[in-house]
Amino acid sequence: MDKLLIEGGSRLTGEIAISGAKNAALPILCAALLCAGPVVFTNVPQLKDVTTLLALLEQMGVKVEREGDTVTLDASGLTEPVAPYEMVKTMRASVLVLGPLAARCGQASVSLPGGCAIGARPVDQHIKGLQAMGAKVDVEHGYIRASASRLKGARLVTDMVTVTGTENLMMAACLADGETVIENAACEPEVVDLANCLIAMGAKISGAGSDVIRIKGVSRLHGARHRIMPDRIETGTYLCAVAVTGGSVRLTSTQASSLDAVIGKLIEAGCSVRCEPNSIHLSAPGKLAAVSLRTAPHPAFPTDMQAQFMALDCVADGAATIRETIFENRFMHAVELQRLGADIHIDGNTAMVRGVERLQGATVMATDLRASASLVIAGLVAEGETMIERIYHLDRGYEHLDEKLSALGARVRRLKS
Ligand code: EPZ
């Protein structure tokens, strides 16, 4: 397994481009299952999770063409509405094929995605919504088996805000008979990007980005061309990486509009941030002020940026509390940060962090995607060398991470196993 070796102490400066959003690309690629014709996607990030999903779609009979950041999918030859355990276990977002398959084929057999490092990650809301739309759904032998001659529009109220739950049900509703209303819907920008793609394919959707989404079912969707939105979490991650080193950076091909809560916290920490239509400029002071935060659904502070900010707080001036309200086990990075000398006390879903003068480099282990990013950020300012093991977690969600960091002056090397 590859490792990342970081020599701490460089002040990061320069300019890098942000890639397409992983969490928009995954549902949007699944949307291609809804139509019997080619759909062209651009700005698709070259990530492990995307490769895994394309392999899953291909084994279903979808024609896949990929050239650089452009992916063309043609599901006219869809023959196998099955997502097997072997593929779903490596990428739980594969569950996003469930809604499109049930709507397009009238049947779907999708392996239950297991839990992961950050939590149990159940999909009961996805199932409940499909059942409310008239699907017969059984869970047996580790598979979700859904069948419906044709889904019917329904009023759906999810028990909690669920991003992929909203996305699965919105995709299923596109081909249902009648209108579906999703209440308590997720407002994340990636949901809006998916809705925009579906509308380009002929879907009739209103309200995406709010907590009530209305979808009027149509008989079929047609091909379209859609550019994936920039990755707001990659953007926030690099802003944190530069801020912690007291550096300055210009991030291009990105949007500040989806990151208000994160930018607000960076300003609170002492950074100056200038937002332009397609870029963000940040410059940071030598020492950041510790900032407290509480994760919550969009537009509040995103859980996917929690680990990165914990790394910032580890070397900031003062103390802060971090409350994780979305996932039950999303502090796995804390014990690894403690190996670097961080002063963190965990009490349930709250972490108390007191800034220390310097972290010391050590060997640490990545446990999940954003926890890995947190360790990279800490390694950039730790004294000496930090070796991060199991960086395949990073490769799932950050395109060319070592190259981009090196372009900003970081002393980072990927050690091939
Ligand atoms: C999406 O996961 C993202 N993944 C996650 O990003 C992100 O952290 C999360 O949304 C929250 O913003 C993708 O978009 C591919 P949820 P998702 O359903 O949809 C509970 C990353 O690092 N829940 O919004 O799986 C669930 O357990 C990843 O890029 C149920 O109980 O998250 C959690 O506590 C990590 N039953 C809460 O709701 C359900 O049926 C929110 O989960 C569904 C969810």
Side-chain angles (χ1 to χ4, degrees), residues 27-28 31 167 170-171 189-199:
I28 286 171
E167 291 166 344
M170 181 166 70
M171 287 191 279
E190 293 78 17
V191 174
V192 177
D193 203 31
L194 172 62
N196 291 338
C197 175
L198 291 165
I199 290 166

Side-chain angles (χ1 to χ4, degrees), residues 22-23 26 92-93 96 118 121-126 160-165 167 188 303-304 326-328 330 369-370:
K22 168 180 83 82
N23 289 350
L26 295 176
R92 53 183 323 287
L96 283 162
I118 64 177
R121 313 287 296 274
V123 290
D124 55 297
Q125 301 298 307
H126 303 232
M160 79 293 293
V161 174
T162 159
V163 174
T164 51
E167 291 166 344
E188 270 65 10
T303 175
D304 289 352
I326 305 290
F327 292 109
E328 66 269 26
R330 203 168 198 176
L369 172 54
R370 308 305 174 183

Side-chain angles (χ1 to χ4, degrees), residues 38-109:
V39 193
V40 181
F41 305 108
T42 57
N43 200 33
V44 180
Q46 306 201 10
L47 298 170
K48 183 86 179 63
D49 274 5
V50 169
T51 304
T52 302
L53 181 60
L54 292 177
L56 172 62
L57 296 175
E58 200 157 37
Q59 65 94 34
M60 288 179 183
V62 177
K63 197 156 152 281
V64 175
E65 282 170 29
R66 189 174 192 180
E67 198 175 322
D69 75 357
T70 300
V71 169
T72 303
L73 298 181
D74 184 341
S76 48
L78 178 58
T79 51
E80 189 72 9
V82 178
Y85 172 70
E86 283 316 308
M87 304 195 85
V88 175
K89 74 176 181 182
T90 59
M91 213 266 299
R92 53 183 323 287
S94 309
V95 73
L96 283 162
V97 303
L98 178 63
L101 289 177
R104 168 88 189 283
C105 308
Q107 57 174 320
S109 180

Side-chain angles (χ1 to χ4, degrees), residues 213-228:
I213 302 177
R214 291 177 187 282
I215 307 104
K216 285 192 172 60
V218 295
S219 50
R220 66 178 57 77
L221 295 186
H222 52 69
R225 187 180 180 86
H226 181 79
R227 179 178 175 79
I228 305 291

Side-chain angles (χ1 to χ4, degrees), residues 62-327:
V62 177
K63 197 156 152 281
V64 175
E65 282 170 29
R66 189 174 192 180
E67 198 175 322
D69 75 357
T70 300
V71 169
T72 303
L73 298 181
D74 184 341
S76 48
L78 178 58
T79 51
E80 189 72 9
V82 178
Y85 172 70
E86 283 316 308
M87 304 195 85
V88 175
K89 74 176 181 182
T90 59
M91 213 266 299
R92 53 183 323 287
S94 309
V95 73
L96 283 162
V97 303
L98 178 63
L101 289 177
R104 168 88 189 283
C105 308
Q107 57 174 320
S109 180
V110 176
S111 169
L112 264 178
C116 71
I118 64 177
R121 313 287 296 274
V123 290
D124 55 297
Q125 301 298 307
H126 303 232
I127 292 169
K128 190 183 99 171
L130 287 176
Q131 288 170 329
M133 294 170 79
K136 181 179 177 306
V137 185
D138 298 307
V139 178
E140 52 193 15
H141 305 298
Y143 276 78
I144 305 164
R145 301 196 195 284
S147 60
S149 48
R150 186 179 180 190
L151 295 173
K152 291 176 186 52
R155 182 173 164 272
L156 311 175
V157 188
T158 54
D159 297 354
M160 79 293 293
V161 174
T162 159
V163 174
T164 51
T166 299
E167 291 166 344
N168 236 336
L169 297 172
M170 181 166 70
M171 287 191 279
C174 287
L175 297 180
D177 180 14
E179 180 180 60
T180 297
V181 180
I182 303 175
E183 300 203 35
N184 203 19
C187 305
E188 270 65 10
E190 293 78 17
V191 174
V192 177
D193 203 31
L194 172 62
N196 291 338
C197 175
L198 291 165
I199 290 166
M201 293 165 69
K204 303 218 177 309
I205 300 173
S206 60
S210 80
D211 61 355
V212 180
I213 302 177
R214 291 177 187 282
I215 307 104
K216 285 192 172 60
V218 295
S219 50
R220 66 178 57 77
L221 295 186
H222 52 69
R225 187 180 180 86
H226 181 79
R227 179 178 175 79
I228 305 291
M229 68 175 276
D231 194 316
R232 62 191 174 104
I233 305 301
E234 184 194 20
T235 301
T237 302
Y238 284 110
L239 291 175
C240 288
V242 171
V244 80
T245 66
S248 72
V249 70
R250 186 159 179 269
L251 300 180
T252 61
S253 306
T254 190
Q255 297 155 345
S257 55
S258 57
L259 273 174
D260 291 348
V262 170
I263 290 172
K265 286 296 173 186
L266 287 165
I267 292 169
E268 192 183 321
C271 298
S272 65
V273 180
R274 193 175 66 249
C275 302
E276 291 138 11
N278 294 303
S279 62
I280 300 175
H281 184 272
L282 171 140
S283 58
K287 191 82 172 168
L288 295 172
V291 289
S292 293
L293 58 93
R294 179 183 184 280
T295 67
H298 192 77
F301 190 92
T303 175
D304 289 352
M305 283 300 305
Q306 176 259 109
Q308 297 90 317
F309 265 76
M310 188 180 286
L312 289 195
D313 280 341
C314 286
V315 289
D317 202 8
T321 57
I322 293 177
R323 277 196 69 198
E324 172 56 60
T325 72
I326 305 290
F327 292 109

